[in-house]
Amino acid sequence: SAVISQKPSRDICQRGTSLTIQCQVDSQVTMMFWYRQQPGQSLTLIATANQGSEATYESGFVIDKFPISRPNLTFSTLTVSNMSPEDSSIYLCSVLWGGNTEAFFGQGTRLTVV
Amino acid sequence: SQQGEEDPQALSIQEGENATMNCSYKTSINNLQWYRQNSGRGLVHLILIRSNEREKHSGRLRVTLDTSKKSSSLLITASRAADTASYFCATEAGNTPLVFGKGTRLSVIA
């Protein structure tokens, strides 16, 4: 299994500012994903973080708002830019490891924008 | 985009009772997975059932899959207060990210 460290675990931010969330995995993984979970809702995929190239964004999510980096096979960051209260959500990183289709998740970042 | 629809959205039962949650999906899949989430934290994988399987067991969990109806059910037997969580189904359709359902919030009352 893969162990994922995600930080910060929570933050309260002012509108208009940006927050960068980090996801560190204890082993090399081929696929890393970023999800958003709005209050009381399910998980919505933001993007697939590709190592060495631009992330692949899902419909409704754009790079200017959610820039993603993935410099290597164990680390990725998601930035939530120019935040508004509507960005208040839990953000989760997830990986597929070892050819499995079982996903492993970080503990999530609970973001509140005021 | 979301594919799965779980029902019920919320379920409250007494400790010791069985809990059944259902999931429906729309497209062909390779497998269907169930996850558990405690209090808005990270998700934990519970069980995976492949498209050519009809039933699978893991401890107190029993999962069924009906590909003709595009539906699955998760049964938790002899529930405990510690089973209180949200449960999500997720479908995998081949080289694509998992697509999650809306989830069922289970409350087990001691």
Side-chain angles (χ1 to χ4, degrees):
Chain A
S1 65
V3 177
I4 303 170
S5 173
Q6 185 177 338
K7 58 182 181 182
S9 59
R10 60 176 62 227
D11 208 341
I12 301 173
C13 300
Q14 296 291 322
R15 68 179 67 199
T17 63
S18 298
L19 175 71
T20 295
I21 303 167
Q22 299 181 2
C23 181
Q24 178 75 55
V25 190
D26 68 343
S27 55
Q28 294 186 340
V29 295
T30 52
M31 303 189 81
M32 295 181 76
F33 308 97
W34 287 98
Y35 287 87
R36 181 176 74 182
Q37 186 178 26
Q38 294 178 304
Q41 302 297 313
S42 185
L43 281 73
T44 300
L45 182 65
I46 297 172
T48 301
N50 301 309
Q51 193 265 329
S53 65
E54 192 172 289
T56 304
Y57 289 85
E58 297 298 306
S59 176
F61 297 95
V62 295
I63 189 171
D64 290 346
K65 176 67 176 177
F66 298 101
I68 289 170
S69 78
R70 189 168 176 200
N72 55 53
L73 293 176
T74 65
F75 185 78
S76 179
T77 67
L78 168 74
T79 299
V80 186
S81 303
N82 188 25
M83 289 183 285
S84 66
E86 291 71 34
D87 294 320
S88 297
S89 292
I90 297 171
Y91 292 86
L92 296 139
C93 74
S94 173
V95 304
L96 292 179
W97 176 83
N100 297 322
T101 58
E102 167 193 342
F104 295 89
F105 284 84
Q107 283 300 298
T109 297
R110 186 182 293 270
L111 171 63
T112 302
V113 183
V114 297
Chain B
S1 60
Q2 289 181 353
Q3 161 151 249
E5 294 277 342
E6 277 112 322
D7 76 270
Q9 290 188 341
L11 179 61
S12 183
I13 59 174
Q14 296 290 325
E15 205 167 30
E17 295 180 337
N18 296 340
T20 299
M21 290 160 268
N22 303 297
C23 168
S24 61
Y25 57 93
K26 299 175 184 175
T27 64
S28 296
I29 60 172
N30 288 343
N31 64 68
L32 186 143
Q33 305 175 33
W34 285 89
Y35 289 81
R36 167 191 167 126
Q37 184 181 38
N38 287 358
S39 302
R41 305 297 287 171
L43 277 71
V44 175
H45 181 268
L46 294 176
I47 194 166
L48 178 153
I49 186 165
R50 302 188 191 285
S51 60
N52 61 353
E53 297 176 312
R54 293 297 168 258
E55 185 171 316
K56 203 162 184 179
H57 297 254
S58 176
R60 293 185 295 114
L61 305 180
R62 172 177 169 257
V63 171
T64 62
L65 179 64
D66 186 336
T67 52
S68 66
K69 296 180 179 178
K70 292 186 168 59
S71 67
S72 174
S73 68
L74 171 68
L75 168 67
I76 304 174
T77 61
S79 63
R80 306 165 182 169
D83 294 328
T84 295
S86 292
Y87 293 83
F88 295 90
C89 68
T91 53
E92 193 268 321
N95 222 25
T96 58
L98 294 175
V99 178
F100 286 84
K102 294 182 178 179
T104 294
R105 293 188 307 278
L106 174 65
S107 298
V108 181
I109 302 166

